[in-house]
Amino acid sequence: MSSKALASEASSTTAIAQTHGMRVNGKNWHAPKKAFRPTAGQRSYAQRKEQDQLKQAVKAREQEMKEEKEQERNRRIQAIKDRRKAKEEKERYDKMAEKMHKKIVERRKRREKRNKLLKS
């Protein structure tokens, strides 16, 4: 294209943009309104279905990630509980060892372990 054609095209677009003039209601600070076209944003059935499938896939992935996160959290919590339980048990046996003989404490440990295995 020649520079003359570009200049004429640019001047015609600026002329179109500037021909709005005064708004009827006098609110010149608002952007000019466009024609109301109720069917402008509609999509075909196939497009809507495709969009729905995408949304479902994203939701499924999000749910999967949430479940993984929750499992990790529960695993950590369970590890903390197990550690605390072991610490309490050790303290209890230490307290018993202060009062009783070492062999009796060991025998009780073994018996309690057997009972736990039988009950579970």
Side-chain angles (χ1 to χ4, degrees), residues 39-51:
T39 58
Q42 289 184 350
R43 295 172 301 172
S44 69
Y45 180 78
Q47 285 175 326
R48 289 196 309 269
K49 284 296 158 193
E50 189 178 319
Q51 199 69 26

Side-chain angles (χ1 to χ4, degrees), residues 84-100:
R84 284 181 184 163
K85 197 172 186 180
K87 186 180 177 184
E88 285 174 12
E89 203 168 295
K90 187 177 184 293
E91 286 174 0
R92 189 169 64 90
Y93 286 130
D94 288 344
K95 208 171 193 181
M96 282 171 58
E98 288 174 7
K99 296 177 187 174
M100 298 182 217

Side-chain angles (χ1 to χ4, degrees), residues 43-89:
R43 295 172 301 172
S44 69
Y45 180 78
Q47 285 175 326
R48 289 196 309 269
K49 284 296 158 193
E50 189 178 319
Q51 199 69 26
D52 288 345
Q53 285 177 343
L54 268 170
K55 279 183 184 177
Q56 284 180 347
V58 168
K59 274 192 175 184
R61 180 70 178 129
E62 284 176 351
Q63 187 65 31
E64 187 180 308
M65 290 169 75
K66 279 182 185 176
E67 287 172 1
E68 287 175 8
K69 193 174 181 182
E70 185 65 24
Q71 285 175 352
E72 179 63 26
R73 182 177 167 273
N74 288 338
R75 189 191 60 76
R76 259 190 262 118
I77 290 171
Q78 190 59 43
I80 292 169
K81 284 181 181 177
D82 292 344
R83 238 181 286 131
R84 284 181 184 163
K85 197 172 186 180
K87 186 180 177 184
E88 285 174 12
E89 203 168 295

Side-chain angles (χ1 to χ4, degrees), residues 6 12 15 20 46 89 91 94 105 110 116 120:
L6 286 173
S12 66
H20 292 299
E89 203 168 295
E91 286 174 0
D94 288 344
V105 173
R110 287 196 302 271
K116 279 182 189 174
S120 63

Side-chain angles (χ1 to χ4, degrees), residues 14-24 28 32-33:
T14 55
I16 291 169
Q18 292 174 352
T19 56
H20 292 299
M22 198 71 160
R23 281 174 65 110
V24 175
N28 297 324
K33 288 187 175 180

Side-chain angles (χ1 to χ4, degrees), residues 99-113:
K99 296 177 187 174
M100 298 182 217
H101 196 268
K102 188 178 176 182
K103 281 191 175 182
I104 297 172
V105 173
E106 292 297 320
R107 195 179 308 134
R108 283 205 179 168
K109 270 189 194 179
R110 287 196 302 271
R111 184 176 291 163
E112 284 179 12
K113 232 180 231 181

